[in-house]
Amino acid sequence: MTRKVGLLSHNRNPDVIASARHIAQALTASGIDVSWLDPVPHSYDDTCGKRPELHEVGDIEIVLVIGGDGTILRAAELTYGSNIPILGINYGHMGFLAEADPESMTHVISAIQHGEWTVDTRMAVQVSIEMPHGSTTCSWALNEVSIEKDPMSRMVEADISIDGVPLSSFSCDTVLVSTPTGSTAYSFSAGGPVVWPDVDALVVTPVAAHALFARPLVVSPDSHVAVDINSENAHVWCDGRRLFPAPAQTRVTVTRDNHRVQLARLNAMPFTGRLVRKFNLPTKGWRSNGDAE
């Protein structure tokens, strides 16, 4: 059976597009059926593989992403609800979701050719946005749900409840509800804790809250986190990609999603090693090169 790979590339960076073309040609030469996924690079042409219809995505064995974490989040959108793993080659800044660097292209191509990858499943969240007039909009997120103030506003007023029990009320710039995967993204920048991805949990992180108690919280993955919005200046972002209005009296509820996102892995490096490598953490103190006194 011919192996079928979906290829998703950052669609504007010329260096990334050139690398994606090289990979597409190498995979095709290895007898692998390569299909480009939307958005196709602006300089796309038919020599790089065919552009599939959306229904063909379900036939793909693995999605190879050439870009940064934003492009990987786009791949997660395309494969949501399926069990198709995503393999990222990092051309972004942090690339925390990516598995490989551009220098390891040959290894990546060989691994795909021989089916040599494992799958790391990641918790996602469901978000329900109940509007004051009664309608409800649903979405999901792999990293975080972000309830934010409008750019020109001072603060958004929010009430936080966990499992139906009121917890806190304050004004803030943002309220984040993150997954363990998202704990190294926006939540981390806002002072939230790093949660290992094999620990299912919800992380609630207020950003610039005007309150005596506004600490980040790690709650049960079975909890219902509700944010009631009391001002007219808020909106909701899911993974920084899907935007929804949230006028006053909107309730945003975040729960664990039944679907898990599949990330392909090529090596067995534990999350601790990935954390040290991505953040370039100092594993030795400044005294380590000196003699003990």
Side-chain angles (χ1 to χ4, degrees), residues 14-28:
D15 292 335
V16 176
I17 294 170
S19 294
R21 285 182 168 181
H22 168 72
I23 289 179
Q25 292 162 356
L27 291 172
T28 300

Side-chain angles (χ1 to χ4, degrees), residues 180-198:
T181 298
S183 73
T184 55
Y186 191 173
S187 178
F188 177 82
S189 298
V194 174
V195 181
W196 265 235
D198 57 350

Side-chain angles (χ1 to χ4, degrees), residues 75-99:
E77 286 181 324
L78 293 174
T79 60
Y80 180 76
S82 74
N83 291 317
I84 302 173
I86 300 165
L87 176 60
I89 298 180
N90 180 39
Y91 274 85
H93 297 290
M94 181 62 68
F96 216 99
L97 296 175
E99 176 64 7

Side-chain angles (χ1 to χ4, degrees), residues 61-174:
E61 187 176 359
I62 189 171
V63 172
L64 180 61
V65 177
I66 316 297
D69 283 343
T71 313
I72 293 177
L73 290 173
R74 170 60 180 154
E77 286 181 324
L78 293 174
T79 60
Y80 180 76
S82 74
N83 291 317
I84 302 173
I86 300 165
L87 176 60
I89 298 180
N90 180 39
Y91 274 85
H93 297 290
M94 181 62 68
F96 216 99
L97 296 175
E99 176 64 7
D101 296 318
E103 294 76 16
S104 57
M105 288 284 194
T106 302
H107 173 57
V108 171
I109 293 170
S110 175
I112 292 177
Q113 182 181 0
H114 296 95
E116 296 173 343
W117 67 78
T118 59
V119 174
D120 177 14
T121 66
R122 294 296 182 91
M123 173 184 163
V125 291
Q126 275 283 331
V127 55
S128 172
I129 304 169
E130 302 172 59
M131 303 288 278
H133 56 261
S135 67
T136 299
T137 301
C138 294
S139 190
W140 71 282
L142 171 59
N143 272 352
E144 75 277 311
V145 177
S146 176
I147 300 102
E148 303 182 11
K149 69 179 182 66
D150 290 333
M152 300 304 293
S153 300
R154 290 181 180 273
M155 286 186 164
V156 62
E157 298 177 12
D159 298 337
I160 313 295
S161 301
I162 308 293
D163 297 326
V165 179
L167 177 70
S168 189
S169 178
F170 45 68
S171 298
C172 64
D173 284 351
T174 304

Side-chain angles (χ1 to χ4, degrees), residues 125 127 141 143-147 175-178 236-238 252 254:
V125 291
V127 55
N143 272 352
E144 75 277 311
V145 177
S146 176
I147 300 102
V175 178
L176 300 170
V177 184
S178 308
V236 179
W237 280 102
C238 294
V252 181
V254 183

